[in-house]
Structures are given as C-alpha cells and as structure tokens.
Amino acid sequence: MVNWEELPREILEFIARRLSIEDFLAFRGVCTSWRSTAAKETYDTKSKTPWLMIYADNQRAEFRSPTTGRIYPMQVPGSHVRTLSAPGWILASQGDREYHIFNPLSRVGIELPALTKLRRKSRLRVQLDGPKRLQCRHPRINRIALSSGPSSTRSYVVMIHIHQSLGPLGFAFHRSGEDAWTAVSPAIYLRRSTILQLIYYDGLFVALAANKQIMTFNKRNHLMESRLILGQNIFEGHPYLVEYSGSLLAAWTMWGEGNGPVKKIRVFKVDLEKGTEEEVMSLGNASLFLNGNSSFSVEFNAESCLLGVKRNHVYFIDNIDEKKKSYRMDNGEVETYFDATSCHDYAAAWFQPDFSAFL
Amino acid sequence: MSSPPSASASSSPPPCPKKMITLRSSDGATFEIEETAALQSKTLENMIHENCASTLIPVPNITGEVLARVVEFCSKHAEAGVDDESLGAWDEEFVAVDHTTLFDYIRAANFLEIPTLLDLGCQTVADMIKGKTPDEIKKTFKITTACTPEEEEEVRGENQWAFE
C-alpha cells in the first residue's frame, strides 16, 4: 500500500509547481507534509493561464478563471481598475483620487500619495528648498508601472505619467515609504506628448510616446532620455510594450479597413542599447498577452500550466468589438478566445493572480 | 566495433547503438536494454561511464515488475522516427494504471533520474488533483493525516477570495 503523504519532498514540489492557482491552494490544504512542499513563493504565476478581469465598477471587480470557467467577484478599493505589470496587483482609484495598489487575492493594499503632493527636484541644485506645488488641475494617472510587486523584503519604485485637464503634465516617481511624488524633468519636446505605454524592463522604466519615441528614465539625473523612434512603417496600429524572454518587444495591433477589428499583429524586438528594432516572426514556445497598461508573456515548458493557451499566439482585446481574441503568429489567423461583450470595455484585461504579497 | 577517436578530447565515447546493458532488479530479475535507451536515465548514464567493462548493472531499489515497464518506457522514448502525437498517445496509455503503479513509476523515475518519465508521472498526478477540494484530494490518495488547526486557519484565509 503506497503512502502518498510520504512521497519525497522534491517530487511533491515538482507536482505542486504544475498546478493552477486554485489547485495549488487546494494542495496546500491537504496535510502538513504536502503544505510544506508548496510554499507560496514557489507559485510561479508567469507560467499559468492568465485570468480575465471582466468587470470593474462599484468597488467590485470580477475575474474569470479560464481553467475552471468560474467567475470570482472581489471587493476592490475603487471603481476604476487597471492591471499592473507586477503580477497579482491592480491599480484601483475612486474618481481620479485615492489611488491604491491592491492585490485582490491577498487583499493587501497600499495607498499611493495624492498626486497634489508632487515635488520638483532641480537638476542644478542639490538641496530641495521645500516641496514646490506644481500648478495642476485635476491631475490623474494616465500610465503607471512598478519596478516590482510590493514585498516586505524589497523596496519598489512606482513611476507614473500624469494627465491633467489641460493635457499631459509629465512623469513622476515615488519610492516605497516616501509620502510624495518626485517630478521627472521631461525633455522640452516631450512635454506635451501623450504617453501610450509605460513599463519596467531590465531595471529601467521605458515609455513610448504617441510620436513613437521610446524613452527611458535615467535614475541618476532624473531625466527621460530618448532611445529610438519606432515603427516607421506602421501607421494604423496600436503599440504595446512587453517583455519576452529577457527582450523588449513592441507589438502592434493593426486594425482593418475603415477602422474594423484587428486584422494583423506585428511584433518587433527593440534593442535599447543599439537603438534599433527588428521584426519578430515567431514567438517560439511563448505567447503574449496584451493589455493597455501591462502586457506580459508566458512560456511553455515542462512545468507550465497553460491550459487553453496556445504557443506562438498573441492574446489581445479588440477595442472595436470588445472581444478577447488570439492571433496566430505563423499564419495570421484571428480567433475569438472569449466573447463577453457585456463587459465594461475599460475593465477588460488579462490578469495574473498571485497571492504571495507581504508587507 | 568502435568509432574513430574524435579530434577534441571528449570524456565519453559515443554510444554504440546495438550495445546492450543488463539491469538487475531488487528481486533478481534481469532485463536487457539498449545503451542509447539507458542513457535517458542520468543515474544509469553515470554508472555506464564509471563501469565500462561490465554490462550488468544492479538496480536495488526497483522491483522486476516496475523495472520491466521502465525499460519499456526508455526504449520507446529512444526510438527514432516517432512523431510527437503518437508518442503522446503512447505515454497516456503508459500512465493509465492504478495509483500504486503510478507511485512506483514516479519513485523509479526519481531514483533513476529519468526526466521524461518524472515529468509524465508528476503531470498525471497534477491532473488527478485538478478541480478537487483538499478533502477530495485526501480521498483520492487515501491520505489520513491532516493540517494542524493553525494551518487550517491559514488555509481558510488563503482561500477567502474564492468565496467572497
């Protein structure tokens, strides 16, 4: 008679690593020995089928788990919700004020400083002479990125791009533990540019402006520096910045004639050092999930649990017909992945649930 | 028959396809396996290189019944010209066994360090866990111990989001 409780630790770890979040948590509830082999930190959300956030309003968000088909309603601190690049975290805001970074599974939340607490640090002077209030009316966060998910062992940096009633204001950042934002001095020619994408990649905050310029944030002198201009050949598409296997990609969803649904996606690998871009024809054993605020990639390997996800595909949300679709890189086929046209369209986003949130 | 020596110094000679190795199980049964198939096991690979003169390798932790099937698995996976789909179907049939046997396969794969068999075994167990509550999992695997009361409390907290 076999005793499954006494399987060697490393085997139980192997098994646990292959489980979706619901099954991983059930595994942790079986018995003490199984629980000890499935530590929260070992759950790798990046190798699991993402959830879909399908609703966000009235301080509530609903997430759909594709593996079980179940929908999980969760309370969130705000009615406007965006997913963040740090897996498991969302940004919730109540009417453009009171922004919270929040993990809906662990229900850990962090309130961000009010946008009116914005300091400008002069490049020329070393000493700040008191926080200077910038004149801005109704500031709101247009784009946001985190250097990492909040945890008790690590500090993190939040970078945002602020819009106000008169248009784009500029970038600012905040380090965990600080009580205000520090403004970033943009180059003059960027001052009024709409920022389409802002992500954290390879230790850098990378932004993409509407004029297709890619900039990175220089931590030392607090300036945004231009690196290259993208997509010279692409005129009718929406760009997404996403990390894939250590590289930075720019994926363009190109809409059809007469602004019809997306008919093609082109992907380019961006080299920040050289200031070049190169088209990518295949994602190999990986797939991309594109979100307005935070796109990500998943990789297929022996331990991944990617049911329902196909490799070498790009999963996106078509803003024209609100459907969640997949695009096959090798032959350009577009298929509907999930048709929930009743979703609030700004709420729809791919989400990677993660509960290992410590404060 | 030995192949000509290669220009660069390599520590292991290329395997001769027809060379047979004999494995002896814990209960004394012997099984022949081609060297190329045996190399799927890192443990056997090391033993072969250390013990190049002898072709009889004792495998004390594994019974004849299980070893026979492991040999079958390695031989199938070393076969040339098998497409992924049919190999996948073959694997599925291979693990369509009772829990005791599956458990033995996993332990054998772990001891002999056969990554493909270990992956297959663990994935099969993961599939058996899929969609079950902790109690259902305990029933499936006949586990009689439980979590401590403190752990149970933590489990409730961890799963609260699913029941809001």
Side-chain angles (χ1 to χ4, degrees), chain A residues 91-138:
Chain A
L91 178 74
S93 60
Q94 195 54 37
D96 292 340
R97 302 163 196 286
E98 292 176 32
Y99 288 94
H100 284 86
I101 304 179
F102 185 72
N103 183 319
L105 268 65
S106 67
R107 295 192 307 188
V108 170
I110 301 168
E111 190 173 351
L112 293 177
L115 293 182
T116 46
K117 292 171 113 187
L118 187 56
R119 282 198 283 258
R120 178 183 279 144
K121 221 172 181 167
S122 165
R123 287 180 258 164
L124 305 171
R125 285 180 304 174
V126 173
Q127 187 65 28
L128 257 185
D129 72 14
K132 292 184 175 184
R133 297 259 162 128
L134 294 187
Q135 292 299 319
C136 55
R137 309 209 179 263
H138 309 303

Tab-separated table of all heavy atoms in Angstrom, chain A residues 91-138:
chain	number	residue	atom	x	y	z
A	91	LEU	N	-4.296	48.525	-9.979
A	91	LEU	CA	-4.409	49.897	-9.508
A	91	LEU	C	-5.889	50.211	-9.441
A	91	LEU	O	-6.599	50.069	-10.439
A	91	LEU	CB	-3.721	50.855	-10.494
A	91	LEU	CG	-3.824	52.341	-10.112
A	91	LEU	CD1	-2.896	52.650	-8.954
A	91	LEU	CD2	-3.485	53.228	-11.311
A	92	ALA	N	-6.355	50.595	-8.268
A	92	ALA	CA	-7.772	50.924	-8.134
A	92	ALA	C	-7.868	52.381	-7.719
A	92	ALA	O	-7.103	52.847	-6.877
A	92	ALA	CB	-8.416	50.029	-7.076
A	93	SER	N	-8.790	53.111	-8.324
A	93	SER	CA	-8.940	54.512	-7.931
A	93	SER	C	-10.408	54.858	-7.845
A	93	SER	O	-11.248	54.272	-8.529
A	93	SER	CB	-8.247	55.436	-8.926
A	93	SER	OG	-8.811	55.277	-10.210
A	94	GLN	N	-10.680	55.784	-6.954
A	94	GLN	CA	-12.036	56.245	-6.789
A	94	GLN	C	-12.079	57.638	-7.372
A	94	GLN	O	-11.558	58.571	-6.764
A	94	GLN	CB	-12.384	56.239	-5.289
A	94	GLN	CG	-13.837	56.338	-4.973
A	94	GLN	CD	-14.678	55.287	-5.665
A	94	GLN	OE1	-14.272	54.135	-5.831
A	94	GLN	NE2	-15.853	55.690	-6.077
A	95	GLY	N	-12.663	57.779	-8.550
A	95	GLY	CA	-12.794	59.095	-9.152
A	95	GLY	C	-11.502	59.865	-9.318
A	95	GLY	O	-11.455	61.041	-8.973
A	96	ASP	N	-10.440	59.288	-9.822
A	96	ASP	CA	-9.186	60.006	-10.052
A	96	ASP	C	-8.530	60.545	-8.793
A	96	ASP	O	-7.644	61.393	-8.859
A	96	ASP	CB	-9.389	61.168	-11.031
A	96	ASP	CG	-9.700	60.648	-12.427
A	96	ASP	OD1	-9.391	59.469	-12.694
A	96	ASP	OD2	-10.258	61.396	-13.231
A	97	ARG	N	-8.977	60.123	-7.653
A	97	ARG	CA	-8.252	60.445	-6.417
A	97	ARG	C	-8.011	59.126	-5.721
A	97	ARG	O	-8.518	58.119	-6.123
A	97	ARG	CB	-9.132	61.274	-5.468
A	97	ARG	CG	-9.622	62.521	-6.013
A	97	ARG	CD	-10.801	63.004	-5.147
A	97	ARG	NE	-11.529	64.022	-5.869
A	97	ARG	CZ	-11.069	65.255	-6.041
A	97	ARG	NH1	-9.922	65.615	-5.526
A	97	ARG	NH2	-11.765	66.138	-6.739
A	98	GLU	N	-7.320	59.147	-4.645
A	98	GLU	CA	-7.140	57.944	-3.826
A	98	GLU	C	-6.799	56.728	-4.650
A	98	GLU	O	-7.621	55.844	-4.879
A	98	GLU	CB	-8.418	57.616	-3.034
A	98	GLU	CG	-8.715	58.650	-1.974
A	98	GLU	CD	-10.035	58.336	-1.280
A	98	GLU	OE1	-10.364	57.139	-1.151
A	98	GLU	OE2	-10.714	59.282	-0.914
A	99	TYR	N	-5.593	56.726	-5.106
A	99	TYR	CA	-5.121	55.583	-5.852
A	99	TYR	C	-4.560	54.545	-4.884
A	99	TYR	O	-3.776	54.871	-3.999
A	99	TYR	CB	-4.008	56.002	-6.808
A	99	TYR	CG	-4.507	56.811	-7.988
A	99	TYR	CD1	-4.510	58.201	-7.969
A	99	TYR	CD2	-4.970	56.158	-9.138
A	99	TYR	CE1	-4.947	58.929	-9.062
A	99	TYR	CE2	-5.411	56.884	-10.235
A	99	TYR	CZ	-5.397	58.270	-10.195
A	99	TYR	OH	-5.834	58.989	-11.270
A	100	HIS	N	-4.943	53.285	-5.101
A	100	HIS	CA	-4.417	52.181	-4.297
A	100	HIS	C	-3.804	51.137	-5.192
A	100	HIS	O	-4.370	50.800	-6.238
A	100	HIS	CB	-5.533	51.490	-3.507
A	100	HIS	CG	-5.993	52.242	-2.311
A	100	HIS	ND1	-6.961	53.211	-2.357
A	100	HIS	CD2	-5.608	52.159	-1.015
A	100	HIS	CE1	-7.145	53.689	-1.149
A	100	HIS	NE2	-6.345	53.071	-0.312
A	101	ILE	N	-2.668	50.605	-4.750
A	101	ILE	CA	-2.141	49.391	-5.388
A	101	ILE	C	-2.724	48.269	-4.549
A	101	ILE	O	-2.650	48.313	-3.315
A	101	ILE	CB	-0.613	49.327	-5.309
A	101	ILE	CG1	0.011	50.570	-5.910
A	101	ILE	CG2	-0.102	48.120	-6.060
A	101	ILE	CD1	1.519	50.527	-5.826
A	102	PHE	N	-3.308	47.285	-5.190
A	102	PHE	CA	-4.085	46.311	-4.429
A	102	PHE	C	-3.927	44.916	-4.996
A	102	PHE	O	-3.873	44.734	-6.214
A	102	PHE	CB	-5.559	46.750	-4.481
A	102	PHE	CG	-6.489	45.924	-3.645
A	102	PHE	CD1	-6.461	46.027	-2.260
A	102	PHE	CD2	-7.393	45.056	-4.231
A	102	PHE	CE1	-7.323	45.280	-1.481
A	102	PHE	CE2	-8.263	44.301	-3.462
A	102	PHE	CZ	-8.231	44.419	-2.081
A	103	ASN	N	-3.836	43.928	-4.090
A	103	ASN	CA	-3.800	42.532	-4.527
A	103	ASN	C	-5.136	41.908	-4.147
A	103	ASN	O	-5.389	41.701	-2.958
A	103	ASN	CB	-2.636	41.796	-3.856
A	103	ASN	CG	-2.519	40.352	-4.332
A	103	ASN	OD1	-3.514	39.658	-4.493
A	103	ASN	ND2	-1.306	39.904	-4.547
A	104	PRO	N	-6.000	41.625	-5.113
A	104	PRO	CA	-7.351	41.161	-4.775
A	104	PRO	C	-7.386	39.801	-4.079
A	104	PRO	O	-8.351	39.494	-3.385
A	104	PRO	CB	-8.072	41.086	-6.123
A	104	PRO	CG	-7.073	41.372	-7.161
A	104	PRO	CD	-5.795	41.774	-6.552
A	105	LEU	N	-6.363	38.971	-4.240
A	105	LEU	CA	-6.386	37.661	-3.601
A	105	LEU	C	-5.945	37.747	-2.142
A	105	LEU	O	-6.563	37.166	-1.263
A	105	LEU	CB	-5.498	36.663	-4.358
A	105	LEU	CG	-6.220	35.847	-5.426
A	105	LEU	CD1	-6.728	36.718	-6.558
A	105	LEU	CD2	-5.323	34.768	-5.972
A	106	SER	N	-4.864	38.464	-1.895
A	106	SER	CA	-4.397	38.570	-0.518
A	106	SER	C	-5.052	39.750	0.185
A	106	SER	O	-4.958	39.881	1.404
A	106	SER	CB	-2.881	38.747	-0.487
A	106	SER	OG	-2.550	40.006	-1.047
A	107	ARG	N	-5.703	40.602	-0.588
A	107	ARG	CA	-6.373	41.810	-0.068
A	107	ARG	C	-5.420	42.756	0.644
A	107	ARG	O	-5.805	43.482	1.542
A	107	ARG	CB	-7.551	41.427	0.812
A	107	ARG	CG	-8.520	40.743	-0.126
A	107	ARG	CD	-9.829	40.489	0.296
A	107	ARG	NE	-9.962	39.786	1.530
A	107	ARG	CZ	-11.129	39.343	1.951
A	107	ARG	NH1	-12.182	39.524	1.200
A	107	ARG	NH2	-11.213	38.731	3.082
A	108	VAL	N	-4.186	42.746	0.192
A	108	VAL	CA	-3.214	43.690	0.707
A	108	VAL	C	-3.292	44.930	-0.171
A	108	VAL	O	-3.306	44.826	-1.399
A	108	VAL	CB	-1.795	43.078	0.638
A	108	VAL	CG1	-0.746	44.108	0.934
A	108	VAL	CG2	-1.692	41.908	1.599
A	109	GLY	N	-3.366	46.087	0.445
A	109	GLY	CA	-3.469	47.318	-0.337
A	109	GLY	C	-2.493	48.367	0.147
A	109	GLY	O	-2.153	48.413	1.330
A	110	ILE	N	-2.025	49.192	-0.762
A	110	ILE	CA	-1.112	50.279	-0.407
A	110	ILE	C	-1.657	51.545	-1.040
A	110	ILE	O	-1.914	51.583	-2.242
A	110	ILE	CB	0.296	50.025	-0.987
A	110	ILE	CG1	0.846	48.705	-0.457
A	110	ILE	CG2	1.225	51.165	-0.644
A	110	ILE	CD1	2.071	48.245	-1.196
A	111	GLU	N	-1.838	52.572	-0.218
A	111	GLU	CA	-2.351	53.812	-0.791
A	111	GLU	C	-1.192	54.626	-1.348
A	111	GLU	O	-0.170	54.809	-0.681
A	111	GLU	CB	-3.091	54.620	0.267
A	111	GLU	CG	-3.841	55.791	-0.340
A	111	GLU	CD	-4.725	56.538	0.650
A	111	GLU	OE1	-4.900	56.049	1.785
A	111	GLU	OE2	-5.217	57.621	0.276
A	112	LEU	N	-1.322	55.108	-2.564
A	112	LEU	CA	-0.267	55.942	-3.139
A	112	LEU	C	-0.447	57.378	-2.661
A	112	LEU	O	-1.568	57.785	-2.346
A	112	LEU	CB	-0.344	55.891	-4.672
A	112	LEU	CG	-0.012	54.550	-5.322
A	112	LEU	CD1	-0.207	54.615	-6.833
A	112	LEU	CD2	1.416	54.123	-5.002
A	113	PRO	N	0.635	58.156	-2.621
A	113	PRO	CA	0.489	59.553	-2.211
A	113	PRO	C	-0.459	60.293	-3.160
A	113	PRO	O	-0.583	59.933	-4.332
A	113	PRO	CB	1.902	60.120	-2.331
A	113	PRO	CG	2.803	58.952	-2.458
A	113	PRO	CD	2.012	57.806	-2.972
A	114	ALA	N	-1.126	61.309	-2.647
A	114	ALA	CA	-2.002	62.113	-3.502
A	114	ALA	C	-1.166	62.773	-4.591
A	114	ALA	O	-0.008	63.137	-4.362
A	114	ALA	CB	-2.705	63.169	-2.656
A	115	LEU	N	-1.756	62.933	-5.761
A	115	LEU	CA	-0.999	63.498	-6.883
A	115	LEU	C	-0.652	64.963	-6.660
A	115	LEU	O	0.266	65.506	-7.268
A	115	LEU	CB	-1.789	63.350	-8.183
A	115	LEU	CG	-1.968	61.916	-8.657
A	115	LEU	CD1	-2.724	61.884	-9.982
A	115	LEU	CD2	-0.636	61.216	-8.819
A	116	THR	N	-1.352	65.608	-5.749
A	116	THR	CA	-1.034	67.009	-5.474
A	116	THR	C	0.266	67.118	-4.689
A	116	THR	O	0.870	68.178	-4.610
A	116	THR	CB	-2.167	67.654	-4.670
A	116	THR	OG1	-2.527	66.748	-3.613
A	116	THR	CG2	-3.381	67.908	-5.538
A	117	LYS	N	0.705	66.015	-4.089
A	117	LYS	CA	1.987	66.049	-3.360
A	117	LYS	C	3.098	65.719	-4.333
A	117	LYS	O	3.642	64.609	-4.375
A	117	LYS	CB	1.973	65.014	-2.231
A	117	LYS	CG	0.999	65.386	-1.122
A	117	LYS	CD	0.833	64.255	-0.137
A	117	LYS	CE	1.393	64.615	1.200
A	117	LYS	NZ	1.389	63.486	2.124
A	118	LEU	N	3.415	66.715	-5.144
A	118	LEU	CA	4.349	66.498	-6.241
A	118	LEU	C	5.512	67.466	-6.066
A	118	LEU	O	5.341	68.676	-6.066
A	118	LEU	CB	3.608	66.751	-7.554
A	118	LEU	CG	4.305	66.452	-8.868
A	118	LEU	CD1	4.782	65.028	-8.921
A	118	LEU	CD2	3.329	66.715	-10.002
A	119	ARG	N	6.706	66.900	-5.911
A	119	ARG	CA	7.904	67.725	-5.705
A	119	ARG	C	8.684	67.802	-6.988
A	119	ARG	O	8.800	66.811	-7.700
A	119	ARG	CB	8.805	67.061	-4.660
A	119	ARG	CG	8.373	67.239	-3.232
A	119	ARG	CD	9.561	66.927	-2.343
A	119	ARG	NE	9.797	65.511	-2.211
A	119	ARG	CZ	9.447	64.797	-1.145
A	119	ARG	NH1	8.826	65.370	-0.144
A	119	ARG	NH2	9.719	63.511	-1.096
A	120	ARG	N	9.261	68.941	-7.220
A	120	ARG	CA	10.162	69.009	-8.357
A	120	ARG	C	11.578	69.173	-7.843
A	120	ARG	O	11.864	70.033	-7.039
A	120	ARG	CB	9.812	70.186	-9.265
A	120	ARG	CG	10.794	70.303	-10.463
A	120	ARG	CD	10.503	71.501	-11.317
A	120	ARG	NE	9.416	71.223	-12.236
A	120	ARG	CZ	8.512	72.117	-12.596
A	120	ARG	NH1	8.537	73.321	-12.087
A	120	ARG	NH2	7.558	71.801	-13.452
A	121	LYS	N	12.453	68.333	-8.320
A	121	LYS	CA	13.850	68.427	-7.885
A	121	LYS	C	14.613	69.097	-9.017
A	121	LYS	O	14.594	68.643	-10.135
A	121	LYS	CB	14.389	67.006	-7.713
A	121	LYS	CG	15.244	66.812	-6.511
A	121	LYS	CD	15.542	65.329	-6.380
A	121	LYS	CE	16.385	65.031	-5.180
A	121	LYS	NZ	16.417	63.615	-4.896
A	122	SER	N	15.282	70.179	-8.715
A	122	SER	CA	16.012	70.869	-9.761
A	122	SER	C	17.275	70.092	-10.105
A	122	SER	O	17.941	69.566	-9.248
A	122	SER	CB	16.376	72.261	-9.280
A	122	SER	OG	17.350	72.797	-10.129
A	123	ARG	N	17.598	70.048	-11.399
A	123	ARG	CA	18.818	69.343	-11.821
A	123	ARG	C	20.048	70.076	-11.328
A	123	ARG	O	21.086	69.509	-11.123
A	123	ARG	CB	18.903	69.300	-13.348
A	123	ARG	CG	17.957	68.355	-14.010
A	123	ARG	CD	18.150	68.420	-15.491
A	123	ARG	NE	17.106	69.212	-16.095
A	123	ARG	CZ	17.189	69.703	-17.334
A	123	ARG	NH1	18.260	69.515	-18.047
A	123	ARG	NH2	16.203	70.391	-17.830
A	124	LEU	N	19.889	71.398	-11.222
A	124	LEU	CA	21.076	72.199	-10.954
A	124	LEU	C	21.372	72.306	-9.458
A	124	LEU	O	22.509	72.373	-9.059
A	124	LEU	CB	20.894	73.605	-11.534
A	124	LEU	CG	20.549	73.619	-13.023
A	124	LEU	CD1	20.163	75.021	-13.463
A	124	LEU	CD2	21.744	73.126	-13.838
A	125	ARG	N	20.320	72.289	-8.664
A	125	ARG	CA	20.577	72.462	-7.239
A	125	ARG	C	20.552	71.132	-6.519
A	125	ARG	O	19.750	70.270	-6.806
A	125	ARG	CB	19.529	73.375	-6.622
A	125	ARG	CG	19.761	74.830	-6.995
A	125	ARG	CD	18.713	75.692	-6.372
A	125	ARG	NE	17.393	75.235	-6.755
A	125	ARG	CZ	16.283	75.741	-6.258
A	125	ARG	NH1	16.351	76.700	-5.373
A	125	ARG	NH2	15.108	75.305	-6.626
A	126	VAL	N	21.391	70.978	-5.553
A	126	VAL	CA	21.436	69.736	-4.794
A	126	VAL	C	20.367	69.729	-3.707
A	126	VAL	O	19.763	68.720	-3.399
A	126	VAL	CB	22.832	69.564	-4.140
A	126	VAL	CG1	22.859	68.386	-3.213
A	126	VAL	CG2	23.880	69.417	-5.222
A	127	GLN	N	20.127	70.898	-3.143
A	127	GLN	CA	19.216	70.952	-1.998
A	127	GLN	C	17.814	71.349	-2.430
A	127	GLN	O	17.622	72.307	-3.138
A	127	GLN	CB	19.777	71.978	-0.996
A	127	GLN	CG	19.068	72.042	0.322
A	127	GLN	CD	19.214	70.764	1.122
A	127	GLN	OE1	20.216	70.050	0.974
A	127	GLN	NE2	18.231	70.457	1.932
A	128	LEU	N	16.852	70.633	-1.979
A	128	LEU	CA	15.462	70.990	-2.241
A	128	LEU	C	15.101	72.131	-1.317
A	128	LEU	O	15.374	72.041	-0.134
A	128	LEU	CB	14.567	69.830	-1.832
A	128	LEU	CG	13.955	68.890	-2.839
A	128	LEU	CD1	13.038	67.943	-2.119
A	128	LEU	CD2	13.213	69.627	-3.913
A	129	ASP	N	14.469	73.186	-1.818
A	129	ASP	CA	14.052	74.143	-0.794
A	129	ASP	C	12.553	74.046	-0.597
A	129	ASP	O	11.772	74.863	-1.019
A	129	ASP	CB	14.552	75.565	-1.066
A	129	ASP	CG	13.855	76.255	-2.226
A	129	ASP	OD1	12.802	75.771	-2.679
A	129	ASP	OD2	14.361	77.275	-2.668
A	130	GLY	N	12.162	73.005	0.000
A	130	GLY	CA	10.766	72.773	0.342
A	130	GLY	C	10.011	72.211	-0.834
A	130	GLY	O	10.362	72.474	-1.980
A	131	PRO	N	9.006	71.457	-0.581
A	131	PRO	CA	8.241	70.884	-1.707
A	131	PRO	C	7.547	72.003	-2.475
A	131	PRO	O	6.901	72.841	-1.888
A	131	PRO	CB	7.224	69.977	-1.029
A	131	PRO	CG	7.243	70.298	0.412
A	131	PRO	CD	8.467	71.072	0.720
A	132	LYS	N	7.713	72.007	-3.770
A	132	LYS	CA	7.069	73.029	-4.587
A	132	LYS	C	5.811	72.432	-5.185
A	132	LYS	O	5.858	71.413	-5.848
A	132	LYS	CB	7.998	73.453	-5.721
A	132	LYS	CG	9.215	74.204	-5.247
A	132	LYS	CD	10.032	74.679	-6.437
A	132	LYS	CE	11.174	75.544	-5.928
A	132	LYS	NZ	11.938	76.114	-7.020
A	133	ARG	N	4.737	73.042	-4.964
A	133	ARG	CA	3.489	72.529	-5.537
A	133	ARG	C	3.421	72.942	-6.998
A	133	ARG	O	3.533	74.104	-7.317
A	133	ARG	CB	2.296	73.128	-4.794
A	133	ARG	CG	2.255	72.723	-3.344
A	133	ARG	CD	1.280	71.635	-3.130
A	133	ARG	NE	1.539	70.955	-1.858
A	133	ARG	CZ	0.637	70.759	-0.945
A	133	ARG	NH1	-0.581	71.199	-1.141
A	133	ARG	NH2	0.931	70.126	0.153
A	134	LEU	N	3.257	71.990	-7.828
A	134	LEU	CA	3.089	72.312	-9.245
A	134	LEU	C	1.648	72.721	-9.469
A	134	LEU	O	0.744	72.207	-8.854
A	134	LEU	CB	3.406	71.107	-10.122
A	134	LEU	CG	4.847	70.633	-10.111
A	134	LEU	CD1	5.031	69.555	-11.146
A	134	LEU	CD2	5.799	71.782	-10.406
A	135	GLN	N	1.468	73.645	-10.366
A	135	GLN	CA	0.108	74.060	-10.677
A	135	GLN	C	-0.509	73.001	-11.558
A	135	GLN	O	-0.123	72.838	-12.695
A	135	GLN	CB	0.129	75.383	-11.448
A	135	GLN	CG	0.594	76.559	-10.624
A	135	GLN	CD	-0.321	76.805	-9.440
A	135	GLN	OE1	-1.544	76.720	-9.565
A	135	GLN	NE2	0.262	77.090	-8.293
A	136	CYS	N	-1.416	72.256	-11.022
A	136	CYS	CA	-2.111	71.354	-11.937
A	136	CYS	C	-3.551	71.163	-11.491
A	136	CYS	O	-3.851	71.142	-10.310
A	136	CYS	CB	-1.387	70.016	-12.065
A	136	CYS	SG	-1.070	69.164	-10.530
A	137	ARG	N	-4.379	71.098	-12.483
A	137	ARG	CA	-5.795	70.959	-12.205
A	137	ARG	C	-6.250	69.552	-12.486
A	137	ARG	O	-5.994	69.016	-13.540
A	137	ARG	CB	-6.580	71.915	-13.105
A	137	ARG	CG	-6.047	73.313	-13.035
A	137	ARG	CD	-7.098	74.363	-13.280
A	137	ARG	NE	-6.456	75.673	-13.165
A	137	ARG	CZ	-6.490	76.403	-12.067
A	137	ARG	NH1	-7.157	76.003	-11.031
A	137	ARG	NH2	-5.867	77.562	-12.022
A	138	HIS	N	-6.940	68.970	-11.535
A	138	HIS	CA	-7.472	67.621	-11.695
A	138	HIS	C	-6.441	66.663	-12.257
A	138	HIS	O	-6.620	66.116	-13.338
A	138	HIS	CB	-8.681	67.639	-12.629
A	138	HIS	CG	-9.703	68.657	-12.229
A	138	HIS	ND1	-10.284	68.668	-10.984
A	138	HIS	CD2	-10.210	69.705	-12.902
A	138	HIS	CE1	-11.128	69.689	-10.911
A	138	HIS	NE2	-11.109	70.333	-12.044
